[in-house]
Amino acid sequence: GNIIGSGIFISPKGVLEHSGSVGLALIIWVLGGGVAALGSLCYAELGVTIPKSGGDYSYVTEIFGGLAGFLLLWSAVLIMYPTSLAVISLTFSNYVLQPVFPNCIPPYNASRILSMVCLLLLTWVNSSSVRWATRIQDIFTAGKLLALALIIIVGFIQIFKGNYEELTPSNAFKFWMTPSVGHLALAFLQGSFAFSGWNFLNYVTEELVDPRRQVSVSMLSTFSWRNLPRAIFISIPLVTFVYTFTNIAYFTAMSPQELLSSNAVAVTFGEKLLGYFSWVMPVSVALSTFGGINGYLFTSSRLCFSGAREGHLPSLLAMIHVKHCTPIPALLVCCLATLIIMLVGDTYTLINYVSFINYLCYGVTIIGLIVLRWRKPKIFRPIKVNLLIPITYLAFWAFLLIFSLYSEPVVCGIGLIIIFTGVPVFFLGVYWRNKPKSVNRLIESMTCWGQKLCFVVYPQGGVTEE
């Protein structure tokens, strides 16, 4: 539910643009799924070895210490999740408005306003009830799979009718440009955005257990060992299959030039093949992205919660509503950061931006797996992957980051600068313990004010959702 969102409906254009041919674009989609599978296997080991919510942040903090964990948290809170939420929200509004503006790009202001309304609505839902949020996720996951299934089925019908000219080897590998290594790296970045979210289950590891039971760490590890890897092993191959065949279906209805010129790929596909029922596609994509926004809000707020609980963010963000047991302050911070980013930036530039930093964090986390193997070889590991898996992933990771930095030095460079601005923040806000009394009083008053405004308290044992 978290992986499949807006990516499959916007990334095909970016992947095709940088790969230079239909055949190479399809290969990149398959390889993208393979790389996500390698990474998810590594995260499965980390998830059951360090059974804490917070995902990458918790693992990096545990293995490399507070500064490294804080920098990952800083980049995630400032860039990764707000940017991803902004892209998905803008995709939602573009597809909703596309039937209203069939011959042009939807107006800037209309798109932004609708995106903000959607974001605010789902922030309210997530603040009101965990149960509502998870039910929305379940319902819209089924809806988005049905939408993609419709695209794939129609694509197969087209193939059986003989409409697969663009997929024949002679046409599929007809390059209209010769892609450089840098272009290939950017194509992978565009595709990787569609696969982002494969690590999100690690952000709520603790919440996989029935919250009404008192559970020991050993019991949690056993539960995670059974369920966390199972979810990963099922989801990644399924998503790779769906993404690859969705792209194949697109090319049964559109030439590469038509796909590149389309403002909404799935809408163009529906207009060409579904006739009177073409309205189904924008509605389906809107439902899909709506569920994607909900999933990102749910998991990114838990990251803020975990960071505050470790003392790396203000303590207010580690508080939950007294009745609903939802992290309202963390949700409001995620919402506000997304609203700010939503007002600036082109969608495809934002995708390069967030994908670069995503991969940077993934790689550091998987390096941590190797370091943990070296430091604590005898620690209990319910799952232990072959070392070739993280090494292969890291080889691809290094290739992607180096050539992405070479091809988009400004975008990637700004991302690195923002990450390292977290160093002085860490030493002033976290490492510096003996702050003046005036500073401590100010922080305490802001925390008390936030508690009264949001009706939140620190989590206590025995609290259950109303």
Side-chain angles (χ1 to χ4, degrees):
N2 279 328
I3 298 174
I4 299 176
S6 66
I8 187 57
F9 304 111
I10 56 176
S11 292
K13 184 175 179 178
V15 173
L16 183 64
E17 181 180 3
H18 292 295
S19 59
S21 76
V22 172
L24 187 55
L26 293 175
I27 290 173
I28 286 172
W29 280 105
V30 175
L31 290 178
V35 171
L38 293 177
S40 64
L41 288 171
C42 298
Y43 271 63
E45 176 177 329
L46 287 168
V48 296
T49 306
I50 306 174
K52 291 183 179 180
S53 290
D56 321 59
Y57 162 71
S58 295
Y59 311 147
V60 170
T61 302
E62 180 88 11
I63 298 167
F64 294 114
L67 177 58
F70 179 82
L71 291 179
L72 191 149
L73 179 69
W74 178 258
S75 62
V77 171
L78 284 186
I79 304 174
M80 286 195 295
Y81 296 107
T83 303
S84 296
L85 270 166
V87 171
I88 300 171
S89 300
L90 291 170
T91 304
F92 167 82
S93 62
N94 285 335
Y95 271 90
V96 170
L97 294 172
Q98 187 65 33
V100 184
F101 303 94
N103 300 318
C104 63
I105 297 174
Y108 178 91
N109 289 336
S111 177
R112 261 56 183 183
I113 290 172
L114 183 57
S115 300
M116 291 177 181
V117 170
C118 175
L119 180 68
L120 291 170
L121 172 63
L122 284 172
T123 300
W124 174 78
V125 169
N126 276 268
S127 299
S128 300
S129 173
V130 173
R131 190 174 294 112
W132 290 2
T134 52
R135 283 179 180 173
I136 285 176
Q137 194 65 17
D138 291 341
I139 292 168
F140 283 89
T141 296
K144 68 182 74 173
L145 284 173
L146 288 173
L148 291 171
L150 176 62
I151 293 175
I152 293 171
I153 290 169
V154 173
F156 274 119
I157 292 173
Q158 285 290 99
I159 291 173
F160 291 141
K161 289 181 177 179
N163 299 323
Y164 52 85
E165 293 82 4
E166 299 296 340
L167 298 171
T168 59
S170 58
N171 290 328
F173 290 96
K174 186 184 292 182
F175 289 86
W176 58 86
M177 73 163 189
T178 303
S180 63
V181 178
H183 280 123
L184 292 177
L186 291 176
F188 270 107
L189 278 185
Q190 291 284 332
S192 70
F193 176 78
F195 283 99
S196 61
W198 53 261
N199 61 323
F200 274 11
L201 196 59
N202 294 65
Y203 279 75
V204 292
T205 302
E206 294 173 28
E207 295 180 68
L208 290 173
V209 180
D210 185 347
R212 292 176 175 80
R213 292 174 56 197
Q214 295 295 323
V215 183
S216 67
V217 172
S218 61
M219 289 172 68
L220 175 61
S221 296
T222 302
F223 184 88
S224 299
W225 180 82
R226 293 174 181 173
N227 292 279
L228 180 62
R230 185 181 301 163
I232 290 170
F233 298 151
I234 293 171
S235 63
I236 302 297
L238 176 61
V239 171
T240 304
F241 172 86
V242 169
Y243 281 2
T244 304
F245 279 92
T246 299
N247 277 273
I248 289 173
Y250 286 152
F251 291 118
T252 64
M254 290 176 277
S255 67
Q257 291 71 31
E258 287 176 317
L259 191 147
L260 291 173
S261 62
S262 172
N263 296 322
V265 177
V267 171
T268 305
F269 177 86
E271 289 173 349
K272 282 181 166 290
L273 296 183
L274 298 181
Y276 178 77
F277 295 98
S278 60
W279 59 269
V280 171
M281 291 317 305
V283 171
S284 299
V285 177
L287 294 176
S288 174
T289 49
F290 190 83
I293 297 166
N294 182 71
Y296 264 83
L297 271 174
F298 188 90
T299 49
S300 59
S301 63
R302 269 58 181 180
L303 177 60
C304 288
F305 179 91
S306 297
R309 190 174 60 180
E310 295 291 334
H312 286 167
L313 289 175
S315 57
L316 178 63
L317 300 182
M319 296 183 184
I320 62 174
H321 192 274
V322 292
K323 291 184 178 179
H324 304 311
C325 291
T326 54
I328 291 180
L331 282 163
L332 292 177
V333 166
C334 294
C335 179
L336 179 61
T338 304
L339 290 174
I340 293 171
I341 288 179
M342 201 180 288
L343 296 174
V344 295
D346 168 71
T347 299
Y348 292 99
T349 302
L350 287 175
I351 289 174
N352 285 340
Y353 205 32
V354 71
S355 297
F356 175 81
I357 296 176
N358 258 337
Y359 259 100
L360 185 61
C361 294
Y362 295 159
V364 171
T365 304
I366 292 174
I367 289 172
L369 182 149
I370 297 175
V371 171
L372 191 65
R373 288 274 192 97
W374 171 63
R375 285 184 183 171
K376 299 181 178 180
K378 295 183 179 179
I379 193 172
F380 176 64
R381 293 177 172 86
I383 296 174
K384 188 173 183 179
V385 300
N386 190 297
L387 270 179
L388 285 176
I389 291 176
I391 289 171
T392 304
Y393 183 92
L394 290 172
F396 175 81
W397 172 77
F399 153 79
L400 190 66
L401 291 189
I402 290 169
F403 286 102
S404 298
L405 191 59
Y406 173 78
S407 300
E408 289 280 359
V410 175
V411 171
C412 300
I414 291 174
L416 289 172
I417 290 171
I418 292 176
I419 290 173
F420 287 111
T421 58
V423 174
V425 176
F426 173 79
F427 283 103
L428 290 173
V430 180
Y431 187 77
W432 183 24
R433 299 289 185 182
N434 299 319
K435 298 181 179 67
K437 292 183 179 179
S438 59
V439 175
N440 289 328
R441 282 197 296 268
L442 176 62
I443 294 172
E444 288 172 5
S445 64
M446 292 178 65
T447 302
C448 291
W449 178 80
Q451 282 181 289
K452 293 175 182 178
L453 183 66
C454 300
F455 300 101
V456 293
V457 294
Y458 282 111
Q460 300 291 331
V463 178
T464 59
E465 185 181 355
E466 186 179 47

